[in-house]
Amino acid sequence: MEQQPTEASSNKVTVECSDPYDLFSSAQPLIAQRLPLHNLNWKSANRPLRSINTLDINFTKSKDQGPVTPATPGFLRRHQIPGLRETPYLKVLLFRCDDNETYKATAKKSAREWVKANSQNVSSNNSQENHDAFEWLIIHVVLPDTPAASQPRTTKHSSSGASDSTDNVPGKTKWGRGSSTILDRLKTDFNSSSKNAVDRVAQIRLPKDVGTPRPSSALSPSEIAAQWEDLVEKLKILILTPFDLRVTQYEEDIREKDSQRNLPGWNFCTFFVLKEGLARGFENVGLFDDALAGYDELNVGLDLVVREQATSGRDEHGATFPLFTEGIRQKALSIIREKGKNSAQESLPPQAFSLEIDQEDFPLNAHRKSYRELILANNISIFDFRSYVFSRQMALLLRASKVSYPKSPIEGKEKAASGDEENFLILAELCHRAADFIALGARTLREDVSSGLVSIDEDPSVSTNTILVENIVLSWTYAVTLQLLTQTLIRTLELPTSSLEYIENNYNNNTLSNGRYPFTNGIRPESRGLSPARPNSEELFSPDVHEPSDSIGPARLTNTRSPTRPAKVKPGTEEFLAGRAELILIARRTLQDLGLRRGWASNWAELGRLVQDLDVDHSQLEEVSLHSRENRQKQNVLQVNDKFRGLEPAQLRRAISDEKFFRECFEYLTDQALRHFLPGRRNKSSHRVMAEYAGMKYRQGDYAAAATYFRYLAPFYAISSWDMLEITLLELYAQCLDHLGRKEDHAQILLKLISKCASSGTPQRSSIDRGQLKLYLDRLIEQAAVSGEPLIANLEDFFAIRELPCKIDHPLQHDGFTIPLLLRSRLGAILHRQDPVSVTLRTVDDGPIGQIDLTAEQPKKVSSEGLFYTLSSNVTTFGRFMIAGIILRIGQICFTRDYGRSEMQQVLQLDESKLDPKAQEIFVYPAGDALDARLIPCPTINLSETRTADVELRTGRNAVLSATMRVRPATAGLRLRVSEGKLLQKSDVETVNFNHTDRDQSITLSNFGPDSTTRFAIPYSVEHPEIMTIFVRLEICYTTGAGDFTFVMNSSTSTVLPVTVNVQDIFQQQNLFSRFTIGPATLVPLWLENCSIAKSADYIVEAAEGRHWPLDVFPREPASLVYNIRSAGTRQTSAKAAPLQLTIEYACLNEWAQDALESTFVDELDSRLRDIKRPLVQHLRATFASQWSGHDLELIGLLKDVEVPSFEEMQWPLLLPLFGPLMVEKAEHWLRQWHQNTRTIALPASPPTIRRIIVPVEILSPEVVLSAKLQVLNDIDLKNTVAVGQPIAAELHMSIRSAWRSQDRLSHQIEFDYEVFSPPEVWLIAGRRRGSFTSNDQEVTFPVMLLPQRAGYLLLPSLDVKAYALEKTGNDVMPLKKTDVRCEVDYKSHSQSVLVIPDLRQTTVAVDGEGPAKGSWLLSSERRNSNY
């Protein structure tokens, strides 16, 4: 059988060199300079294209330099299993021939014999020989100073055919004097003539001195380089060709063997060796992903065979593995036989603890045994089988990751500087695989050792076998872990030197701050499933995943001053660090299991024990003699050594023999794991290790370090909902702060600890009993009282809100409102104290006041159910509110709870599908007889004065001693001049003052009796005229005998004038007739009480007779009033007349109807509902106004009746739920009955409130009033008739004598332009139909001829006059300047008409009703007058 190959030979492609001319030592160094080969591409028929980045080649010298035949002594018989053979992929002949004659004489023949002996594999038709497929290559080595060295690389006229032999080629050809080179002759003799044939001949030239780079040759440097490139390309082709043949053959054999799995005689071990041969082939050429996939498939097959053997116990696959490993069994027997032989006196030298072991101590080594021979012999144990498979996988991953074993950081930096960086993703995969294998291998080893010791016949030692088995397993686990940590050690990967400083710099926002958790910025817990996914084998070895980066480690984590995560991290760094940390934890777990035997526990249970030690009563401890303790220790030395017999290595034995060293080792491993986990970003694992590390620091008395760790740990486990562990950490943290004397921080942590115990609910979830909790609470209250600032705590951590208000109540004696509140302490009677509480309400509808504070000094009632509070507020307002916060004070501790809308819904536990959403709100409203203030429509509006906003104030039941009212604008652009206000109505008010300061304008009142009403008028202005409604905020702070109160309300009023007035003026010589059209400005009808214009000193006004008051005015039926205005004649020449004033007294129909509706509703309201009268009336008026239309208002104006809508139409169900369930039932019952009984409401005979608007009427007197008349002549009376076309002579008379004539124009001459016009189809006008004249006091006359054009009553033609003032320009040559003058024309003939009839006396008409020419004809006619 062939000898077991070495590790080096299996890791490279073997190229066997035949060296009959002793050229290997000279050529091999030159060839090695071009290795390894780079950028190879291999494509198989059933596999995707594979890229081989680098290919290592092992050039070996053949032992047999001549032709090899079966008869030669060097022939080795091939093994029948292909997977065990290691044969070269390429055979090379180092050929020397110095001249052409030697080539012809001897060299050619020897080369042909070598080719014949080494090309049988390729030419063979036996497919099984493809397992050892290889190619051959002849390398012509040209030595310096030989005739061959002077030959060119090739001749231009090589032989005509590559297949022709060169035996008959003379030295001088018939085509010329030159001859073929030796290289040309070799290619002609040994290459195939096929077009696709592979060139198997190459040439290299040796320099004179091997150390000089340039050989002595006739070739140029570029030609020399081309020769070497040609050789490299031939090596690539000739290596991949047999590799492809081997892979194809292996795959065919594997498929064939796998299909025979269920046939008798099938053997898994033989199949394993065959398939491993394929995996080793992939490994040789650098295809590690394919090789690893092959071993993974074999591992799965091994698991299947082992499982079947364990369940059935039969040899179903021809491979029954031994139950134990003989070497391990012999080792265990030797340990058992050495029991009691001076083991107690074993002395171990002190040594430093390290995570590295020597390479010769590695337990996993594929060449530690002849594993393949054992597998082939079916004599390998399951443990050895698994160890071999994993060691091969580990070797593949280590080679793929490019990990070497630098002995110092300097070597590692030199390796990194060379650009050959490690692949951290592959190393991370190795660590994860190792963790899984260690668990499986330990279980397999335990079964192996146990099975081996079962056959021992000596009973005395059987009792200790269990401990011995565990010791062997723990030793193997520890050694494997250290081997993996040693082999994956990257010295250039620098870890943080201090985990504590790293945490402070990277997780500063994730700590307890003032006893509060950073829930928004805290470290979020991560599960392993959320960690970066492990790549598969295809992705793992992909070159795209491992692009080199600027940083080798996680940004030089040793720089602890700024250990933040870098922007660019090498791919896989975090996964690799986390994998190494898991291996460190496995080593620590091994040490921990051994420490548990000595009682040196250091795990999670240690934290709970530390807390229990805090409550130990040291007064009850008993004294123990130290001498007896030492004696007992001496007696147990032998027993201790027996328990730890068989442990390896030495540092593990020393750690278990000395408690101090054990603690140091355990702390070192914990610190190393933490320093790996932190930059590896494994939060759960890092916090778990951190908790154990903090417990160690606490036990050592390093309270500062322990407190820092606890500070970071508590928020993490709070978010993860590990309540008991969180409470334990908080308690230890509090003890650390107490030892350090940090009183304020200690109080904050005590507060958090107590709140966590209170919110845990059940005692089972808390590790602190009630007595200890009360001690903590008393100490907290004591420390809080001493501190200067109050402590803030979450109310719901200590109290459960059992009852929240859904309605308000009003006190009987004063204004304001109250709400109930019931709190139950989660700590029972410990927190049932007489302490004040306050509640803040926040508006939800942008009401007049943003928030309201309610307070209660002490509980109204304390019982087992909790604390009953009645919270009160002295604020009177309207609006919907939500509870924004609750504050309860116990000494200097403030328990607070802030609510949002969504959180409030969860507290109330409302089901929106069953309850109206408004029931979540608190509706605040005034009592029925509380103080009230609002804007009212202004009773008198004078358009010539500044508009005012009228405020009505009613005291209700309050006897106001003093009050300050502030009226603030709530509309953009509104300006209120409160200081210019005036009192409109004074009712039982002693003093009223309007104040104005730089910051405030207010109205102060004093001694204002109950049931009093007063009104104020406040001038205002607006920046935007389009504003139709103004809003103001009324704030009144008033004092009564019951205390100080505040009234805040928003009120509004319309700025739109409800009345429109249009005027039309007609001027005559002495009179002015003005027609006023008065109507509603909106769709609301008006009730006009009276209209009047008072006379003035300048004018005399007379109203038309026959008008009856009052009047109903509708939008489409306005009122029309005519007034005769005459000048009084007392006005001065240049004085301007004062305007007249039109006074309109009216009432709006909608206000009239609303007042009637409100009056009836209030009078009939049930006395039990008087407390909610104000919101009911407000809702009634608002809903009523929103439902009216213009048609409804017209009906009310005509019928003087108001139809009351139904209960549902009034939308009462939207309002009633805000009053609470008890009041809802009463109010709904009464309202339904009232709507049923009240169908219509009759309006009073007159409106209760009459409003007045004063409109200034300015008389715009014209400059000239022209009187004109068109007088018909020819003795024609306008009462008589005229014929169509009959000429009518007329005269136009015009004069300017008038009482309205302006004296300003007397100094200027006025010119008039007139025109008489009419439609041409009515009148034809002749004569002076248009012209001009100048002003004088005489009447002017112009003749006009009129010709009527149609019959009927025809109005006389119209007259148009324009006036101009003539002014001199100062130059007699230039014409006079004309200026337009306003002129009014009193045209007296404006409405006169003439009856025009056709000019016919008689007419004869023929009518024919028969015949083809039927119709009518005019036969004759006679005119009425033949004179024209």
Side-chain angles (χ1 to χ4, degrees):
M1 183 178 294
E2 190 178 31
Q3 186 179 358
Q4 182 78 13
T6 62
E7 181 71 21
S9 63
S10 63
N11 290 341
K12 296 181 180 180
V13 172
T14 302
V15 176
E16 186 179 86
C17 297
S18 298
D19 187 21
Y21 304 101
D22 197 18
L23 300 173
F24 184 81
S25 59
S26 300
Q28 194 273 340
L30 297 177
I31 297 175
Q33 295 177 5
R34 276 77 181 175
L35 301 179
L37 303 179
H38 296 279
N39 300 326
L40 287 82
N41 295 318
W42 172 63
K43 179 67 174 69
S44 179
N46 55 354
R47 292 177 182 268
L49 179 66
R50 303 294 190 191
S51 296
I52 304 174
N53 295 329
T54 59
L55 178 61
D56 294 326
I57 297 179
N58 182 27
F59 273 90
T60 61
K61 186 176 181 181
S62 176
K63 297 180 181 179
D64 300 317
Q65 305 303 325
V68 180
T69 64
T72 57
F75 179 78
L76 295 176
R77 184 179 300 275
R78 295 185 178 93
H79 199 282
Q80 62 179 350
I81 301 177
L84 290 177
R85 295 197 292 263
E86 292 288 346
T87 57
Y89 285 78
L90 177 64
K91 293 186 178 182
V92 177
L93 173 62
L94 297 179
F95 179 73
R96 176 179 179 180
C97 183
D98 296 336
D99 52 39
N100 294 342
E101 297 300 329
T102 305
Y103 177 79
K104 291 175 59 178
T106 59
K108 177 181 177 181
K109 180 179 180 181
S110 63
R112 190 176 297 277
E113 291 178 355
W114 182 88
V115 170
K116 182 178 180 181
N118 292 277
S119 61
Q120 294 178 0
N121 181 272
V122 177
S123 61
S124 176
N125 295 326
N126 187 5
S127 61
Q128 292 297 328
E129 294 298 328
N130 287 338
H131 287 294
D132 300 324
F134 65 90
E135 277 285 357
W136 57 271
L137 175 66
I138 298 176
I139 300 179
H140 180 211
V141 181
V142 179
L143 275 66
D145 299 331
T146 61
S150 61
Q151 292 181 353
R153 183 181 178 187
T154 182
T155 58
K156 298 182 180 179
H157 50 276
S158 59
S159 53
S160 58
S163 60
D164 298 333
S165 176
T166 61
D167 293 339
N168 300 322
V169 177
K172 180 178 179 182
T173 66
K174 62 181 180 179
W175 301 108
R177 298 181 59 185
S179 60
S180 299
T181 65
I182 299 176
L183 179 62
D184 293 335
R185 292 173 180 267
L186 284 172
K187 290 185 177 182
T188 302
D189 293 335
F190 295 99
N191 284 338
S192 174
S193 60
S194 174
K195 292 183 178 179
N196 299 326
V198 179
D199 188 3
R200 293 185 175 89
V201 179
Q203 186 184 77
I204 60 175
R205 303 194 178 219
L206 300 180
K208 289 184 179 180
D209 186 4
V210 178
T212 61
R214 183 177 178 181
S216 175
S217 173
L219 303 183
S220 64
S222 60
E223 290 178 330
I224 297 295
Q227 275 193 339
W228 283 108
E229 291 178 2
D230 179 66
L231 175 61
V232 169
E233 290 300 322
K234 287 182 172 61
L235 290 176
K236 292 181 181 180
I237 296 173
L238 295 177
I239 289 175
L240 290 181
T241 300
F243 172 73
D244 184 68
L245 293 175
R246 293 189 182 194
V247 170
T248 304
Q249 186 62 48
Y250 268 109
E251 288 178 343
E252 292 178 359
D253 293 348
I254 290 171
R255 283 194 295 269
E256 180 182 358
K257 294 295 183 183
D258 191 53
S259 64
Q260 301 172 359
R261 181 182 295 270
N262 296 325
L263 298 178
W266 189 87
N267 187 276
F268 173 76
C269 294
T270 305
F271 178 77
F272 179 90
V273 173
L274 176 63
K275 194 167 184 176
E276 188 189 16
L278 177 61
R280 283 178 172 268
F282 286 132
E283 180 185 5
N284 291 340
V285 299
L287 296 177
F288 301 112
D289 50 350
D290 294 280
L292 186 62
Y295 277 107
D296 289 340
E297 294 172 0
L298 290 173
N299 198 18
V300 173
L302 176 61
D303 291 339
L304 179 61
V305 173
V306 172
R307 189 179 303 112
E308 291 178 353
Q309 178 179 340
T311 54
S312 62
R314 295 178 297 175
D315 183 9
E316 297 183 0
H317 294 92
T320 301
F321 304 116
L323 298 179
F324 58 88
T325 305
E326 184 62 29
I328 298 177
R329 179 177 179 273
Q330 294 298 329
K331 181 179 179 181
L333 290 177
S334 64
I335 295 174
I336 293 175
R337 294 189 184 99
E338 294 175 359
K339 178 181 178 181
K341 294 183 181 180
N342 298 328
S343 59
Q345 286 76 24
E346 180 184 7
S347 61
L348 298 174
Q351 57 180 343
F353 191 82
S354 174
L355 292 179
E356 301 181 42
I357 59 175
D358 296 334
Q359 189 170 357
E360 56 269 12
D361 296 332
F362 287 173
L364 297 178
N365 189 351
H367 303 282
R368 193 182 188 90
K369 296 181 182 179
S370 298
Y371 286 107
R372 303 186 76 190
E373 295 182 0
L374 293 174
I375 293 172
L376 193 61
N378 288 345
N379 193 25
I380 187 170
S381 65
I382 300 175
F383 175 73
D384 279 349
F385 214 145
R386 293 189 186 277
S387 299
Y388 173 71
V389 173
F390 179 74
S391 63
R392 294 294 302 131
Q393 292 175 329
M394 181 176 63
L396 285 172
L397 292 171
L398 288 174
R399 282 196 62 194
S401 63
K402 303 178 182 179
V403 173
S404 59
Y405 307 104
K407 300 301 181 181
S408 65
I410 298 178
E411 297 181 19
K413 292 180 180 179
E414 292 176 354
K415 181 177 183 295
S418 65
D420 192 16
E421 297 182 356
E422 296 84 358
N423 191 318
F424 288 159
L425 278 177
I426 300 179
L427 290 177
E429 175 69 14
L430 174 60
C431 293
H432 290 307
R433 286 174 176 260
D436 297 336
F437 169 74
I438 290 173
L440 177 61
R443 184 168 61 252
T444 306
L445 179 60
R446 185 177 291 106
E447 296 174 355
D448 188 295
V449 179
S450 299
S451 299
L453 295 180
V454 167
S455 61
I456 300 177
D457 297 330
E458 304 173 88
D459 292 335
S461 60
V462 174
S463 60
T464 60
N465 287 351
T466 303
I467 298 178
L468 178 60
V469 170
E470 291 300 323
N471 288 345
I472 294 176
V473 173
L474 292 176
S475 299
W476 178 85
T477 302
Y478 190 78
V480 171
T481 305
L482 292 190
Q483 176 185 349
L484 267 299
L485 291 175
T486 302
Q487 291 183 299
T488 59
L489 177 63
I490 308 298
R491 297 188 183 277
T492 56
L493 183 62
E494 301 175 357
L495 299 175
T497 56
S498 172
S499 58
L500 185 61
E501 189 171 353
Y502 181 88
I503 294 171
E504 291 178 348
N505 285 275
N506 287 268
Y507 301 103
N508 192 32
N509 295 328
N510 303 317
T511 62
L512 273 168
S513 178
N514 295 327
R516 298 182 179 180
Y517 289 140
F519 290 106
T520 55
N521 298 323
I523 306 176
R524 294 301 179 191
E526 295 181 3
S527 63
R528 188 168 182 177
L530 297 178
S531 302
R534 292 167 58 181
N536 54 32
S537 60
E538 296 288 343
E539 299 172 347
L540 195 63
F541 299 98
S542 174
D544 297 336
V545 181
H546 316 297
E547 295 180 358
S549 59
D550 296 337
S551 59
I552 298 176
R556 302 293 181 182
L557 293 177
T558 52
N559 186 8
T560 57
R561 295 186 180 274
S562 58
T564 56
R565 188 177 182 181
K568 294 179 64 177
V569 180
K570 188 174 181 180
T573 302
E574 295 180 357
E575 291 81 359
F576 172 57
L577 292 175
R580 279 184 58 87
E582 292 291 343
L583 294 177
I584 296 174
L585 288 184
I586 293 176
R588 194 191 70 158
R589 191 179 304 115
T590 303
L591 188 64
Q592 179 179 335
D593 292 342
L594 294 173
L596 290 175
R597 301 182 188 176
R598 303 292 303 272
W600 303 338
S602 228
N603 53 12
W604 284 94
E606 183 79 359
L607 294 178
R609 190 173 293 109
L610 290 176
V611 174
Q612 293 174 4
D613 293 342
L614 299 176
D615 303 329
V616 174
D617 189 359
H618 298 280
S619 62
Q620 299 180 0
L621 298 180
E622 298 179 358
E623 295 184 0
V624 179
S625 175
L626 297 178
H627 298 286
S628 61
R629 182 178 179 183
E630 294 176 356
N631 294 332
R632 286 196 300 271
Q633 290 179 351
K634 292 179 180 180
Q635 294 174 2
N636 294 332
V637 169
L638 291 176
Q639 298 179 2
V640 170
N641 289 329
D642 290 339
K643 290 181 180 179
F644 302 103
R645 187 177 302 279
L647 288 178
E648 295 176 353
Q651 64 178 1
L652 189 62
R653 296 197 304 272
R654 171 166 173 75
I656 207 61
S657 62
D658 184 4
E659 182 178 3
K660 180 180 179 181
F661 187 67
F662 171 82
R663 298 289 183 186
E664 293 176 357
C665 295
F666 194 87
E667 182 178 350
Y668 175 79
L669 289 173
T670 305
D671 179 66
Q672 286 293 323
L674 185 58
R675 289 164 58 189
H676 280 75
F677 272 132
L678 288 174
R681 304 291 172 175
R682 295 300 184 267
N683 288 332
K684 284 188 176 181
S685 300
S686 61
H687 284 81
R688 174 169 55 86
V689 176
M690 193 188 304
E692 298 177 0
Y693 198 62
M696 297 179 195
K697 292 297 182 181
Y698 182 88
R699 181 174 288 277
Q700 295 171 5
D702 190 355
Y703 299 113
T708 303
Y709 286 116
F710 289 135
R711 179 187 174 202
Y712 291 95
L713 287 168
F716 177 81
Y717 289 105
I719 299 174
S720 302
S721 301
W722 289 38
D723 296 336
M724 294 187 64
L725 183 57
E726 180 192 359
I727 292 174
T728 301
L729 295 173
L730 287 174
E731 195 168 2
L732 290 173
Y733 186 27
Q735 295 298 327
C736 292
L737 295 176
D738 191 18
H739 285 293
L740 295 174
R742 295 161 56 180
K743 300 300 181 182
E744 295 183 1
D745 295 338
H746 183 224
Q748 294 284 357
I749 300 305
L750 280 180
L751 183 64
K752 186 63 185 177
L753 173 62
I754 297 172
S755 68
K756 192 64 184 178
C757 295
S759 60
S760 61
T762 59
Q764 290 78 10
R765 298 183 61 187
S766 175
S767 60
I768 304 178
D769 57 10
R770 293 288 181 179
Q772 184 68 25
L773 191 60
K774 189 175 187 309
L775 292 177
Y776 283 148
L777 182 60
D778 294 340
R779 188 171 184 182
L780 173 63
I781 296 176
E782 179 182 352
Q783 290 187 1
V786 176
S787 62
E789 298 182 356
L791 296 178
I792 307 299
N794 187 6
L795 176 71
E796 290 189 341
D797 291 342
F798 297 86
F799 295 91
I801 303 174
R802 305 291 295 176
E803 180 181 341
L804 280 175
C806 60
K807 65 177 292 293
I808 66 172
D809 296 321
H810 293 101
L812 298 177
Q813 304 300 328
H814 56 81
D815 293 348
F817 65 96
T818 62
I819 60 174
L821 180 63
L822 173 58
L823 300 176
R824 182 184 65 82
S825 172
R826 299 184 185 274
L827 299 177
I830 298 177
L831 279 179
H832 280 178
R833 305 166 62 92
Q834 304 289 328
D835 299 295
V837 67
S838 62
V839 172
T840 301
L841 303 181
R842 183 177 294 122
T843 181
V844 297
D845 56 358
D846 297 330
I849 185 171
Q851 69 178 32
I852 301 176
D853 296 326
L854 298 95
T855 58
E857 294 299 326
Q858 61 183 4
K860 186 177 180 181
K861 179 183 177 182
V862 178
S863 65
S864 59
E865 296 182 6
L867 307 174
F868 290 86
Y869 289 92
T870 299
L871 300 107
S872 62
S873 173
N874 290 339
V875 175
T876 300
T877 187
F878 255 112
R880 294 182 292 116
F881 292 82
M882 297 279 286
I883 292 184
I886 302 176
I887 300 177
L888 174 64
R889 289 182 175 271
I890 298 180
Q892 285 291 96
I893 305 176
C894 294
F895 300 94
T896 64
R897 180 63 172 98
D898 294 333
Y899 294 101
R901 177 178 287 272
S902 58
E903 292 180 299
M904 192 62 201
Q905 178 180 347
Q906 296 175 2
V907 172
L908 293 174
Q909 297 180 353
L910 297 178
D911 186 358
E912 292 189 1
S913 62
K914 299 180 180 179
L915 192 62
D916 190 274
K918 291 184 179 295
Q920 306 175 30
E921 304 165 354
I922 299 176
F923 183 49
V924 179
Y925 55 92
D929 51 357
L931 183 139
D932 187 23
R934 60 177 178 171
L935 287 181
I936 61 173
C938 185
T940 302
I941 301 175
N942 193 337
L943 297 183
S944 61
E945 298 178 356
T946 304
R947 297 285 298 273
T948 61
D950 290 6
V951 180
E952 182 181 71
L953 175 61
R954 297 180 180 180
T955 58
R957 63 187 174 187
N958 300 282
V960 179
L961 301 178
S962 62
T964 300
M965 181 172 66
R966 294 176 176 84
V967 184
R968 306 181 188 276
T971 300
L974 176 63
R975 300 289 184 267
L976 297 175
R977 301 198 291 270
V978 179
S979 60
E980 300 177 10
K982 60 181 179 179
L983 182 64
L984 298 179
Q985 178 183 351
K986 182 177 181 182
S987 176
D988 197 17
V989 180
E990 183 173 329
T991 59
V992 176
N993 296 319
F994 295 88
N995 306 316
H996 174 70
T997 61
D998 295 337
R999 296 183 178 181
D1000 190 16
Q1001 297 185 81
S1002 61
I1003 304 173
T1004 57
L1005 305 93
S1006 62
N1007 297 330
F1008 201 9
D1011 298 325
S1012 301
T1013 303
T1014 186
R1015 294 180 181 178
F1016 307 93
I1018 301 175
Y1020 74 90
S1021 61
V1022 292
E1023 294 181 358
H1024 308 289
E1026 63 272 10
I1027 295 177
M1028 302 179 66
T1029 304
I1030 60 172
F1031 292 85
V1032 298
R1033 183 174 183 267
L1034 302 174
E1035 180 180 343
I1036 304 175
C1037 299
Y1038 58 100
T1039 303
T1040 66
D1044 297 331
F1045 301 91
T1046 302
F1047 173 91
V1048 181
M1049 198 77 67
N1050 283 343
S1051 186
S1052 65
T1053 186
S1054 176
T1055 60
V1056 178
L1057 294 176
V1059 180
T1060 60
V1061 179
N1062 295 323
V1063 61
Q1064 180 182 4
D1065 295 335
I1066 300 176
F1067 284 89
Q1068 294 184 358
Q1069 291 285 343
Q1070 303 298 328
N1071 299 321
L1072 169 62
F1073 293 94
S1074 295
R1075 180 179 180 178
F1076 294 89
T1077 302
I1078 302 174
T1082 61
L1083 296 178
V1084 180
L1086 300 177
W1087 191 82
L1088 295 183
E1089 177 73 17
N1090 193 10
C1091 293
S1092 62
I1093 300 179
K1095 65 179 181 179
S1096 65
D1098 298 322
Y1099 301 102
I1100 300 174
V1101 182
E1102 295 179 359
E1105 298 181 357
R1107 176 65 63 185
H1108 300 283
W1109 301 101
L1111 296 177
D1112 290 325
V1113 179
F1114 298 96
R1116 288 175 292 183
E1117 296 180 3
S1120 180
L1121 306 177
V1122 179
Y1123 291 89
N1124 183 9
I1125 303 174
R1126 300 191 307 272
S1127 176
T1130 60
R1131 184 163 56 97
Q1132 299 295 327
T1133 302
S1134 59
K1136 184 178 180 180
L1140 300 175
Q1141 290 185 344
L1142 173 64
T1143 302
I1144 305 173
E1145 298 178 358
Y1146 68 97
C1148 295
L1149 191 61
N1150 62 338
E1151 297 175 1
W1152 188 5
Q1154 284 182 344
D1155 292 341
L1157 183 64
E1158 178 183 349
S1159 177
T1160 303
F1161 183 82
V1162 172
D1163 293 341
E1164 299 177 3
L1165 185 63
D1166 192 341
S1167 60
R1168 296 176 299 174
L1169 304 179
R1170 291 291 177 180
D1171 193 45
I1172 61 174
K1173 179 186 68 174
R1174 297 270 283 275
L1176 291 179
V1177 171
Q1178 185 185 43
H1179 179 80
L1180 178 72
R1181 295 180 67 99
T1183 307
F1184 219 41
S1186 64
Q1187 294 182 351
W1188 279 344
S1189 64
H1191 178 69
D1192 296 333
L1193 294 174
E1194 289 181 1
L1195 290 179
I1196 295 174
L1198 294 173
L1199 302 178
K1200 296 299 186 290
D1201 285 335
V1202 180
E1203 183 179 355
V1204 180
S1206 64
F1207 177 86
E1208 289 74 16
E1209 292 175 342
M1210 286 299 299
Q1211 302 178 2
W1212 291 113
L1214 297 178
L1215 176 68
L1216 296 182
L1218 301 177
F1219 300 124
L1222 297 178
M1223 187 62 73
V1224 167
E1225 184 178 356
K1226 298 177 184 178
E1228 183 177 355
H1229 176 73
W1230 183 87
L1231 287 171
R1232 289 186 180 275
Q1233 187 176 4
W1234 183 79
H1235 280 278
Q1236 185 177 2
N1237 297 334
T1238 308
R1239 300 294 185 180
T1240 59
I1241 297 175
L1243 295 181
S1246 61
T1249 302
I1250 301 298
R1251 300 168 62 182
R1252 181 181 295 104
I1253 182 171
I1254 301 174
V1255 181
V1257 180
E1258 185 176 358
I1259 305 299
L1260 299 177
S1261 300
E1263 298 181 5
V1264 177
V1265 177
L1266 180 67
S1267 179
K1269 182 179 180 181
L1270 185 62
Q1271 185 176 1
V1272 179
L1273 302 178
N1274 297 337
D1275 299 331
I1276 298 177
D1277 191 354
L1278 294 179
K1279 295 180 181 180
N1280 298 326
T1281 60
V1282 295
V1284 175
Q1286 179 182 352
I1288 303 174
E1291 290 182 349
L1292 178 61
H1293 301 272
M1294 292 182 289
S1295 64
I1296 59 173
R1297 293 188 298 270
S1298 172
W1300 306 104
R1301 185 175 181 181
S1302 176
Q1303 300 297 325
D1304 297 336
R1305 294 296 182 180
L1306 294 178
S1307 58
H1308 300 289
Q1309 189 177 10
I1310 298 177
E1311 182 182 72
F1312 296 92
D1313 292 341
Y1314 74 93
E1315 180 182 6
V1316 180
F1317 64 92
S1318 176
E1321 66 272 10
V1322 180
W1323 295 97
L1324 290 179
I1325 305 174
R1328 296 288 299 275
R1329 58 174 301 181
R1330 68 168 59 92
S1332 62
F1333 64 96
T1334 57
S1335 63
N1336 51 48
D1337 294 336
Q1338 302 296 326
E1339 182 180 297
V1340 294
T1341 304
F1342 299 98
V1344 178
M1345 182 67 69
L1346 304 176
L1347 281 79
Q1349 299 299 306
R1350 68 181 183 185
Y1353 285 96
L1354 303 182
L1355 293 175
L1356 292 179
S1358 301
L1359 176 65
D1360 182 23
V1361 179
K1362 294 182 179 180
Y1364 304 95
L1366 301 179
E1367 300 178 3
K1368 295 181 179 181
T1369 60
N1371 189 350
D1372 296 338
V1373 180
M1374 297 296 293
L1376 298 177
K1377 180 181 178 182
K1378 290 185 178 182
T1379 305
D1380 291 338
V1381 174
R1382 182 171 174 266
C1383 175
E1384 291 289 341
V1385 179
D1386 181 14
Y1387 186 45
K1388 300 182 181 301
S1389 302
H1390 185 71
S1391 58
Q1392 294 180 1
S1393 63
V1394 176
L1395 178 58
V1396 180
I1397 60 176
D1399 188 16
L1400 294 174
R1401 182 180 299 273
Q1402 64 179 9
T1403 301
T1404 304
V1405 179
V1407 178
D1408 186 3
E1410 297 180 359
K1414 60 182 180 179
S1416 59
W1417 297 269
L1418 177 64
L1419 299 180
S1420 64
S1421 65
E1422 183 181 351
R1423 302 182 64 178
R1424 294 177 58 89
N1425 192 352
S1426 59
N1427 295 328
Y1428 59 88

